[in-house]
Amino acid sequence: MLNYFIRMEENLVIVESPAKAKTIKKFLGDSFIVKSSFGHVRDLAKKDLGVDVDKNYSPNYIISPDKKKIVAELKKLASKSKLVWLASDEDREGEAISWHLKEVLGLKDDKIKRIVFHEITKEAIQKAVENPRNIDKNLVNAQQARRVLDRLVGFNLSPLLWRKIKPSLSAGRVQSVTVRLIVEREREIIKFKSVSKYKVIANFIANGKVFKAELNYKFDTGKEAYQFLELCKNAEFLVEDVQKKPSKKSPAPPFITSTLQQEASRKLKFSVSQTMRVAQTLYEHGYITYMRTDSVNLSNLALSTAKKSITEEFGEKYHKSRNYKTRSKGAQEAHEAIRPTFINNKTIEGTRQEQKLYELIWKRTVASQMADAELEKTIISVKTNNSKYKFIANGEIIKFDGFLKLYIESQDDENIEEINDMLPDVKAGQALSAKKIEAVEKYSTHPPRYTEASLVKKLEELGIGRPSTYAPTISTVQQRGYVSKEDRNGNKREVEVYTLENNEIKKRLKSENYGAEYGKLFPTSIGMVVNDYLIDNFDNIMNYNFTARIEKEFDEIALGNTEWTKMIDDFYKPFISQIEDSLKNTTAKKYERLLGNNPENGKPVVVKVGRYGPYVQIGENEEEPKFASLLKEQNIETITLDEAIALFRLPRNLGQFENEEVIVAIGKFGPYIRHNKKFYSIKKPDDPYTIEYDRAIEIINKSRENEKLFPREFKDAPNLKVLKGRYGPYISYNNKNYKIPRKIDPATISLEECWDIIKKIDNKNNK
DNA sequence: CAGTGAGCGAGCTTCCGCTTGACTT
């Protein structure tokens, strides 16, 4: 068929991912060996800057330590092959991977062929093999510029922070702007003042049907709302206008990395990293296409199988072929959208999580090829004879469900308007009677804090970061202590409700929860300090458009219009003088805030940020000021005087037990009792501020008894033991270990439960 | 990992993007 198929093993094909290698092997026959490089094989040396800024930014590349083995293997195979096909992805990073491979394997130009394909089908691969090209050095240079710039920024800014703020901190083009987003959102929330307004909803009756309509005005006070209801007592309600409008909804495009992360978060409550882990498994099993992509493109094969699948299951009317266009900034489109490899497989074998994520991908992919939903929207406006305000009723009915049969995209927005499904058939001029009219006090809500997934959405909109880095970036900013993912208990408040019913107005108070947060990203005190320092001194790099701007310059390099070293030089010269200037002339603002005076002794209470993080100090310029660290969930910008003083109520010394002191305090992992160098955690409903001596001893004794239980043995199973180890409780059986799930208490676990766990884990491993 | 907050200074930390293991509990 092809000239290259001459002798066994004359061709070596190198791709980036081993799963891809496996698939391609099937399409290519015996004369091709297909191997993977596992991504980049070389990177800038890490021990210093890795770039010689005095020698025209010459990069010092070394083979990454974890790639030494694979490089040696590839070298050996390459030397035995006649041709080496470099088949890494068709984008900036992929081109660079091919070039680095050519360099480290010492390959001459006439021994390599550069090929690319966007989908893994026999046709696409054959076409690629028939159309080889050379390595695009301009594109490689664009990658070198990207790499070198990130290194110059990161390895100059970070040491500056070590000097000015605290060791081991970090800064970079992506992470620092990520932290900025979270800090600025938090400050908006701190500034936000919630106000309440009165929203009026009427339940009208027409043609024997009840429907809801909202007043087109919200009252500022309960008094005004009350006065309006008074007017409604004897009012006539007339239909002023009825509008009917056809409308339609279209399905969302197939998944890319960021949208998969968002939907898995909203629909399945997966964290961003969890989504990627599960998707990786699906990919490795061949169930889905590659999961790190920014392309919404579907292969022709996928389009035709989706069509077949939809027509067979729902009928021809439900199918509509669609090609989506990628709209995100800086997309490089080396892959397809994330879709099932075989669209006729509705379900797969695997863990519950794998099945759920697969089902989500399947539905989204198929729905994207389905017909629009056809709706009819109705708006009825109702006027009264003694007020200028009007009631508006919104109705929406589905005339044809189309893609909605399969998939509805979730929204982040929590304030969804009330919409009637079917409205009664009323005519202009028709009189209505009001069954009930209610004015409810509604508080405005602050801008929402970011979740991991909504942060990814924002980063993608700004063109910052890549599909392969969203999850790692989120974990980096948390590891550095700039951001933490937390839950917050809400508070209760009472809202006023005025109800007009049977010509009588009643007032009542309704209690509601507000301010509860789940899995939201909060900036830490140190995150805020570092952010402010960077914005003060490096506003260019901290600008949300910085990445977009340099991306344009990388594009010029890729087109061959700019020398990459020239672009870097233009950036570096002013940047390094900013760095030198900051080293000499700046100090990070010492954060200090006076909260007030301690009511007990009148001494000033101040929040500060020190070497070990944020703390409160009582008494200044004294021989012995008192210190206390802020709790994990407290922030220097929001802590109050009362909260600060409460910190000094701990540690508490409850007295002596067995000749050792019993101390209660709050540590890194929450409240604890310390006794004789051992720690016992205090769990709710016990409270470290109020717990008494007797109860503390009880906790110590209970924990001791609990310890005595281990190792637990069962007389019916001599080679089975329940143990507690470094990573938590586990079962040891026939020299194999099995983790005990968190929801099962190892102190009371039964033998049957042990067998269950063993069976489940063994089954999973055998698959 | 459990209690620090002065200052000195050895030696360490750090970036973004491409990809999976090896961890075993």
Side-chain angles (χ1 to χ4, degrees), chain A residues 548-685:
Chain A
R549 272 207 295 271
I550 58 167
E551 279 291 339
K552 282 204 190 110
E553 298 185 38
F554 295 150
D555 287 346
E556 288 301 307
I557 296 169
L559 290 170
N561 298 337
T562 316
E563 285 276 328
W564 78 266
T565 49
K566 165 85 169 59
M567 183 248 154
I568 292 295
D569 193 52
D570 288 347
F571 166 76
Y572 183 73
K573 286 271 160 63
F575 172 69
I576 198 65
S577 73
Q578 266 176 293
I579 292 277
E580 281 158 4
D581 182 58
S582 302
L583 269 172
K584 257 188 276 168
N585 303 325
T586 66
T587 43
K589 262 182 238 148
K590 286 268 177 258
Y591 186 90
E592 264 197 51
R593 191 162 66 95
L594 178 69
L595 295 179
N597 296 313
N598 187 355
E600 272 181 28
N601 53 20
K603 289 181 183 171
V605 181
V606 186
V607 208
K608 296 186 179 185
V609 179
R611 279 195 295 151
Y612 306 103
Y615 63 96
V616 185
Q617 181 179 335
I618 299 185
E620 205 116 42
N621 313 317
E622 319 217 355
E623 297 96 71
E624 278 187 33
K626 292 207 290 179
F627 301 102
S629 289
L630 265 62
L631 299 179
K632 200 175 80 215
E633 65 272 15
Q634 289 173 328
N635 188 295
I636 48 173
E637 297 191 11
T638 52
I639 190 170
T640 62
L641 180 64
D642 288 348
E643 287 163 353
I645 287 169
L647 292 172
F648 291 89
R649 288 162 52 201
L650 292 177
R652 290 167 61 214
N653 188 338
L654 298 187
Q656 297 261 323
F657 174 60
E658 295 172 350
N659 295 324
E660 297 282 346
E661 286 180 336
V662 179
I663 309 286
V664 173
I666 295 178
K668 233 179 182 171
F669 308 113
Y672 65 91
I673 301 163
R674 194 180 65 210
H675 174 255
N676 195 11
K677 290 176 198 137
K678 285 190 92 171
F679 294 87
Y680 308 87
S681 57
I682 299 174
K683 292 189 185 111
K684 279 182 185 168

Side-chain angles (χ1 to χ4, degrees), chain A residues 320-544:
Chain A
K320 182 176 177 188
S321 206
R322 297 166 196 269
N323 270 316
Y324 294 88
K325 286 261 178 313
T326 303
R327 61 193 154 70
S328 58
K329 270 187 209 170
Q332 307 209 0
E333 309 219 37
H335 303 95
E336 268 193 83
I338 305 170
R339 62 159 174 93
T341 324
F342 304 106
I343 288 175
N344 26 346
N345 285 356
K346 235 175 161 170
T347 53
I348 52 135
E349 302 251 311
T351 65
R352 193 74 203 100
Q353 288 191 342
E354 286 158 21
Q355 290 178 346
K356 275 155 77 177
L357 193 69
Y358 180 83
E359 192 191 358
L360 189 68
I361 295 169
W362 186 86
K363 282 188 173 171
R364 173 90 164 211
T365 309
V366 175
S368 80
Q369 297 304 312
M370 288 178 75
D372 287 341
E374 289 165 26
L375 311 167
E376 187 181 77
K377 289 193 172 177
T378 307
I379 302 171
I380 300 175
S381 67
V382 178
K383 61 178 179 182
T384 65
N385 59 334
N386 56 8
S387 162
K388 61 182 172 181
Y389 303 125
K390 288 170 194 166
F391 286 95
I392 309 288
N394 283 297
E396 188 176 279
I397 53 169
I398 296 173
K399 296 242 152 176
F400 173 64
D401 55 359
F403 78 94
L404 292 177
K405 217 177 186 69
L406 209 55
Y407 185 89
I408 301 170
E409 191 178 25
S410 311
Q411 304 285 326
D412 279 327
D413 196 355
E414 292 138 19
N415 302 322
I416 296 157
E417 293 252 328
E418 224 163 325
I419 294 180
N420 301 276
D421 41 3
M422 179 80 91
L423 285 171
D425 203 7
V426 295
K427 306 229 157 29
Q430 185 174 337
L432 301 173
S433 66
K435 188 169 175 262
K436 180 170 97 173
I437 304 179
E438 207 162 62
V440 184
E441 185 181 14
K442 292 268 180 208
Y443 281 90
S444 56
T445 49
H446 61 69
R449 290 195 173 84
Y450 286 106
T451 62
E452 288 187 352
S454 67
L455 183 64
V456 168
K457 185 180 180 187
K458 186 71 190 175
L459 289 173
E460 194 199 26
E461 279 167 16
L462 295 168
I464 297 169
R466 306 277 314 127
S468 67
T469 60
Y470 296 136
T473 299
I474 285 173
S475 87
T476 299
V477 295
Q478 292 181 72
Q479 265 170 25
R480 298 277 171 275
Y482 296 148
V483 168
S484 76
K485 183 175 160 181
E486 284 172 28
D487 304 336
R488 288 287 159 86
N489 293 324
N491 295 307
K492 272 201 162 67
R493 70 181 161 209
E494 299 206 309
V495 294
E496 293 180 349
V497 181
Y498 295 90
T499 310
L500 167 63
E501 209 168 7
N502 303 324
N503 229 28
E504 191 187 348
I505 302 173
K506 280 186 187 147
K507 179 188 172 179
R508 67 189 161 94
L509 292 175
K510 195 172 85 176
S511 123
E512 69 175 17
N513 283 320
Y514 73 99
E517 298 275 28
Y518 179 73
K520 293 289 173 65
L521 299 174
F522 291 75
T524 62
S525 303
I526 194 75
M528 288 172 144
V529 168
V530 168
N531 177 67
D532 292 356
Y533 178 76
L534 290 174
I535 288 179
D536 280 350
N537 298 289
F538 299 91
D539 58 338
N540 51 340
I541 287 166
M542 295 299 283
N543 190 300
Y544 291 124

Side-chain angles (χ1 to χ4, degrees), chain A residues 1-17 20-21 24 28-37 74 77-89 94-95 97-102 105 107-117 124-135:
Chain A
M1 171 177 66
L2 290 164
N3 306 337
Y4 314 109
F5 292 57
I6 310 167
R7 259 188 300 153
M8 292 278 282
E9 301 187 356
E10 287 212 319
N11 295 283
L12 172 65
V13 182
I14 306 177
V15 294
E16 290 181 35
S17 136
K20 199 169 174 179
I24 290 171
L28 277 173
D30 289 342
S31 60
F32 284 78
I33 294 184
V34 188
K35 284 281 164 186
S36 107
S37 72
L74 291 174
L77 289 168
S79 70
K80 284 197 273 183
S81 309
K82 218 167 200 177
L83 275 177
V84 178
W85 301 75
L86 300 171
S88 48
D89 297 343
E95 203 67 18
I97 288 173
S98 280
W99 177 71
H100 280 301
L101 280 169
K102 175 179 177 249
L105 301 179
L107 303 172
K108 297 260 162 51
D109 280 338
D110 58 4
K111 198 174 167 173
I112 58 154
K113 303 245 175 213
R114 171 79 173 114
I115 54 169
V116 294
F117 33 80
I125 290 160
Q126 278 179 358
K127 209 171 143 198
V129 169
E130 285 160 21
N131 294 287
R133 58 172 174 81
N134 294 318
I135 288 175

Side-chain angles (χ1 to χ4, degrees), chain A residues 41 53 118 210 227 245 268 325 340 375 413 527 586 629 684:
Chain A
V41 293
V53 293
H118 305 124
V210 178
Q227 282 166 350
K245 274 192 290 204
L268 309 177
K325 286 261 178 313
L375 311 167
D413 196 355
T586 66
S629 289
K684 279 182 185 168

Side-chain angles (χ1 to χ4, degrees), chain A residues 690-743:
Chain A
T690 55
I691 193 166
E692 287 176 14
Y693 179 84
D694 289 349
R695 175 64 186 148
I697 303 305
E698 204 180 314
I699 290 174
I700 293 173
N701 282 332
K702 206 185 237 170
S703 160
R704 284 178 178 174
E705 267 167 45
N706 213 323
E707 290 299 318
K708 263 191 243 158
L709 291 173
F710 299 95
R712 286 184 62 202
E713 294 176 19
F714 299 92
K715 61 172 181 284
D716 296 341
N719 22 357
L720 188 150
K721 278 181 191 155
V722 176
L723 296 149
K724 270 187 169 176
R726 259 200 309 157
Y727 307 98
Y730 67 100
I731 302 163
S732 163
Y733 174 62
N734 285 346
N735 297 325
K736 271 181 79 182
N737 297 329
Y738 303 84
K739 186 180 181 164
I740 297 174
R742 201 170 280 179
K743 58 184 178 209

